[in-house]
Amino acid sequence: MEPYILGIESSCDDTSVAVIHGNKILANVTANQHIHRAYGGVVPELASRAHQQNIVPVVNAALEEAKLTPDQLSAIGFTSGPGLLGSLLVGTSFAKSMALSLGIPLIDVNHMQAHILAHFIEHAAMQPPAFPFLCLTISGGHTQLVRVDDFFTYQVIGETIDDAAGEAFDKAAKIMGLPYPGGPLIDKYAQLGNAETFSFAKSRVAGYDYSFSGLKTSILYFLQKKVRENPDFVKENLYDLCASIQHTIADMLFEKLEQAAAHLRIKHIAIAGGVSANSEIRLRLKAKTDWHTYIPAFEFCTDNGAMIAMAAYYHYRKGYEASLNTVASARMSVEQSKDKPFS
Ligand code: KG4
Ligand code: ZN
């Protein structure tokens, strides 16, 4: 019989809990933390405090939605890293207590693997990728090109050497005076603008690595100059600015993705992570008719408990169980599960 797994995600500013049966989602409940908006970015101390407040109600809501009682669960999965340590500790401690009290396996999950494994959630709008595939994981904390050979074998082909793609969106938005997180707003306004209006410097980095910090500086200097000439410049050009910035980020992402796919001769290409919710990136990937492309449903792009439960499911099936001494870590490579002891 397929297991019932509860997955807990608390690596950043979303407390999200899902219950799955096999690879079917029974519930996926998320509490977003709006408190960070006032600060223009995630404040780690406030994030861990909000996780403490949210975790019990969100777990209860997920179980209620799944119409299950805790004693029906087969295992508890939780994000053990990478992420903000204080935030991770809330989910880790809660997951340990719950697994211990129910006498069921505890499964630590790598957040970056979970973003990729979200593709295997059973969903009408999604087809699971065929192995090997190349996944462009683009989030607020990471930008990576990962070769995925099976559920447990990941190889980083390239990654950002400074800012992540999500940070590039959020920092550009902040420069324009938009609230955090700015990525979804840039996407929304870009749909009303012309992407050819402004051009920004694209950093050149060797191999398949990325660099986005130069773009932020280029936007900052450009806008400082324009605002000196006309204080209403951003307001008057917001849609074109958003479209041009989004287009530049998408160009940078696709350039390396195309080169890596050609070099590795992989035609199965997936995107994952919060920035994969971006409409231009989704459209550009869909337009690649020479590739088999895999785009997650919106609800599985940004951080969610379902992807954690899904990753836990594949480890559970292999007989893996974490020790109660497992610790959360702020840094953790997506390649890490090679070292897990499967029974
Ligand atoms: O994966 P995620 O939810 O959290 C991390 O693990 O970081 O990604 C959050 C990032 C933020 O930077 C947010 O601005 C960005 O994803 N994001 C978007 C869009 N939706 C979320 N960026 C561009 N366009 C979007 N539609
Ligand atoms: Zn994430």
Side-chain angles (χ1 to χ4, degrees), residues 69-328:
T69 51
D71 57 299
Q72 291 173 281
L73 293 171
S74 318
I76 309 287
F78 70 99
T79 307
S80 60
L84 301 171
L85 193 60
S87 293
L88 290 166
L89 287 175
V90 177
T92 303
S93 306
F94 189 91
K96 284 185 185 185
S97 323
M98 195 166 179
L100 185 64
S101 69
L102 295 170
I104 56 176
L106 173 74
I107 300 171
D108 53 320
V109 169
N110 179 310
H111 183 87
M112 302 312 292
Q113 287 181 5
H115 268 302
I116 297 174
L117 292 175
H119 279 281
F120 295 89
I121 293 168
E122 197 176 303
H123 191 277
M126 281 160 57
Q127 242 216 323
F131 295 117
F133 65 93
L134 194 57
C135 186
L136 174 66
T137 313
I138 35 183
S139 70
H142 294 83
T143 293
Q144 293 182 329
L145 269 171
V146 185
R147 181 191 163 112
V148 187
D149 282 287
D150 60 47
F151 294 118
F152 312 101
T153 314
Y154 304 82
Q155 188 192 353
V156 177
I157 304 299
E159 62 191 328
T160 182
I161 58 166
D162 43 51
D163 290 350
E167 262 177 297
F169 273 104
D170 297 339
K171 286 181 176 173
K174 194 171 177 180
I175 295 169
M176 293 188 288
L178 300 175
Y180 176 86
L185 282 176
I186 290 190
D187 188 354
K188 182 173 155 197
Y189 298 143
Q191 292 175 34
L192 306 166
N194 178 357
E196 307 297 327
T197 315
F198 304 107
S199 63
F200 299 103
K202 295 176 197 156
S203 314
R204 300 263 160 234
V205 192
Y208 306 121
D209 284 341
Y210 290 100
S211 167
F212 289 102
S213 68
L215 174 65
K216 173 194 65 193
T217 314
S218 156
I219 296 167
L220 180 68
Y221 289 166
F222 173 78
L223 287 182
Q224 279 177 341
K225 182 170 169 286
K226 290 290 184 189
V227 168
R228 267 197 302 272
E229 293 160 13
N230 168 16
D232 290 330
F233 181 82
V234 173
K235 208 164 82 191
E236 287 168 9
N237 294 280
L238 185 62
Y239 299 159
D240 291 340
L241 280 168
C242 288
S244 305
I245 291 167
Q246 176 173 285
H247 195 67
T248 309
I249 296 173
D251 274 351
M252 291 167 78
L253 290 170
F254 274 87
E255 189 184 319
K256 296 292 172 94
L257 176 61
E258 283 163 12
Q259 287 170 6
H263 180 231
L264 296 172
R265 294 174 200 230
I266 294 182
K267 286 195 177 289
H268 292 270
I269 312 289
I271 50 171
V275 182
S276 63
N278 182 268
S279 13
E280 179 172 351
I281 293 170
R282 295 169 82 89
L283 278 177
R284 280 171 73 161
L285 192 63
K286 264 188 211 144
K288 294 259 170 211
T289 46
D290 50 335
W291 287 347
H292 302 276
T293 58
Y294 306 95
I295 301 172
F298 275 109
E299 62 265 41
F300 308 130
C301 291
T302 46
D303 292 347
N304 62 89
M307 68 184 197
I308 304 304
M310 202 63 232
Y313 168 72
Y314 287 108
H315 287 86
Y316 178 89
R317 281 203 327 189
K318 287 273 265 182
Y320 171 78
E321 185 174 342
S323 135
L324 280 174
N325 298 331
T326 300
V327 288

Side-chain angles (χ1 to χ4, degrees), residues 30-53:
T30 304
N32 304 115
Q33 303 179 0
H34 299 293
I35 189 159
H36 307 288
R37 280 182 161 242
Y39 299 91
V42 177
V43 183
E45 289 289 311
L46 296 179
S48 31
R49 190 167 181 271
H51 283 303
Q52 286 275 26
Q53 287 171 327

